[in-house]
Amino acid sequence: MHERFVRGEIVRADGTAWAADAPVEPGDELWFHRELREEAVPEMDLPILHQDDHLLVVDKPHDMATMPRGTHVLSSALVRLRRSTGITTLSPLHRLDRRTAGVLAFGVDPAERSAYQELFARREVLKEYLARVGPYREGAAVPADLPTMVGARTVLRDRLVKERDDLLTRLVAGEPNAITEVEVAAVELDGTLTLRLRPLTGRTHQLRAQLASRGMPIVGEDLYPTPRDPVGSLQLLARSLAFTDPVTGQERRFTSALDLPGPPS
């Protein structure tokens, strides 16, 4: 702590440095930033798909956190972008799991943030994902009800609950609060499917939990149905976002340039 005083990192409320031997009176305020633990920050591309005075949209790679959390602080998309662009007011308008790649949108102006976030809350953003799932595993909580022919469609309706201290989202009985449209895009010889997924609701881990509960977990899944060490990337891609901009009135559509890994040769 003494070294932090010497470096001028402990300051008064007005921003002036506080000396280590300066007296402290009742009501005095000492300000300092929490020291971050040492963190490996791997070099990773974070392509910008769109940037203007209102929005910054990127193509997030797999295994990069959206927000600073736990051991992922400096390596998170938010911190990387604030540093690379110099825009300190950036704030994510929605989130992607660390293991999910694809389109991720940030607001630039804090005064406009609520207008964009309410757009997501009102379900007025069209989101499409791609995922490779399966092949089917016996013993699922819910019998598999996914179509297996290219072009076939269905709708998944479940009730999902995530408790505060629980790592997993649980599927329970009751009125559905998680709805996802599904279309089969491709079928492999071993029964693995490539799906187009359009979530109409935004529950935590919605796509991962719904698919795994039917015995068709996403390839690379490490949480559902039970946590285990990850093997390879989670093959889930946020392919596109589309909405009417609440600030400019423009029709917006952002599409990822990434793709899912192909089936093994």
Side-chain angles (χ1 to χ4, degrees):
M1 179 61 78
H2 179 75
E3 290 77 12
R4 300 199 69 186
F5 279 104
V6 172
R7 294 195 298 266
E9 296 176 0
I10 312 299
V11 299
R12 297 178 173 83
D14 63 3
T16 58
W18 198 302
D21 58 356
V24 179
E25 303 294 337
D28 285 343
E29 296 181 357
L30 282 74
W31 292 75
F32 57 91
H33 292 288
R34 176 173 62 90
E35 289 187 295
L36 300 177
R37 69 185 68 183
E38 189 172 337
E39 176 185 351
V41 183
E43 290 291 332
M44 299 178 74
D45 288 334
L46 186 54
I48 293 177
L49 298 174
H50 173 85
Q51 183 175 358
D52 61 22
D53 292 338
H54 312 283
L55 293 169
L56 177 68
V57 184
V58 300
D59 220 355
K60 187 183 84 65
H62 288 98
D63 300 311
M64 179 186 291
T66 295
M67 295 277 290
R69 184 176 182 183
T71 58
H72 302 275
V73 177
L74 300 179
S75 59
S76 67
L78 178 61
V79 173
R80 287 175 187 264
L81 288 169
R82 283 181 173 176
R83 288 183 162 190
S84 64
T85 66
I87 306 173
T88 59
T89 55
L90 283 178
S91 178
L93 302 178
H94 61 117
R95 296 192 187 189
L96 294 180
D97 289 346
R98 180 177 62 85
R99 303 204 66 218
T100 302
V103 180
L104 179 61
F106 293 80
V108 174
D109 187 343
E112 300 171 349
R113 187 177 305 151
S114 62
Y116 286 109
Q117 290 177 333
E118 287 170 10
L119 201 68
F120 283 87
R122 295 195 303 267
R123 305 176 189 173
E124 295 177 6
V125 178
L126 300 179
K127 297 180 283 186
E128 182 175 284
Y129 290 73
L130 290 178
R132 294 182 70 238
V133 305
Y136 177 68
R137 297 178 182 177
E138 296 287 348
V142 177
D145 56 359
L146 295 174
T148 57
M149 295 182 63
V150 173
R153 301 181 180 185
T154 191
V155 178
L156 307 183
R157 302 175 187 273
D158 298 296
R159 183 163 190 83
L160 301 181
V161 175
K162 186 178 185 303
E163 302 295 341
R164 184 181 183 86
D165 296 322
D166 195 345
L167 180 65
L168 303 182
T169 291
R170 309 287 179 178
L171 189 148
V172 299
E175 184 72 20
N177 62 0
I179 303 173
T180 301
E181 296 178 345
V182 180
E183 179 183 356
V184 180
V187 182
E188 297 167 26
L189 292 178
D190 67 353
T192 299
L193 307 177
T194 298
L195 303 177
R196 292 188 185 92
L197 304 168
R198 301 179 185 92
L200 304 184
T201 53
R203 314 301 298 187
T204 299
H205 292 173
Q206 176 172 317
L207 304 179
R208 299 173 68 174
Q210 285 189 299
L211 293 168
S213 71
R214 288 164 170 81
M216 299 286 274
I218 298 172
V219 175
E221 179 61 75
D222 63 321
L223 286 181
Y224 298 93
T226 54
R228 55 194 174 279
D229 291 337
V231 178
S233 295
L234 181 71
Q235 296 200 22
L236 179 62
L237 173 68
R239 181 64 173 167
S240 66
L241 286 178
F243 55 89
T244 301
D245 194 304
V247 176
T248 68
Q250 293 175 274
E251 293 300 319
R252 304 278 202 176
R253 183 175 181 85
F254 307 111
T255 302
S256 174
L258 302 174
D259 205 349
L260 296 174
S265 57

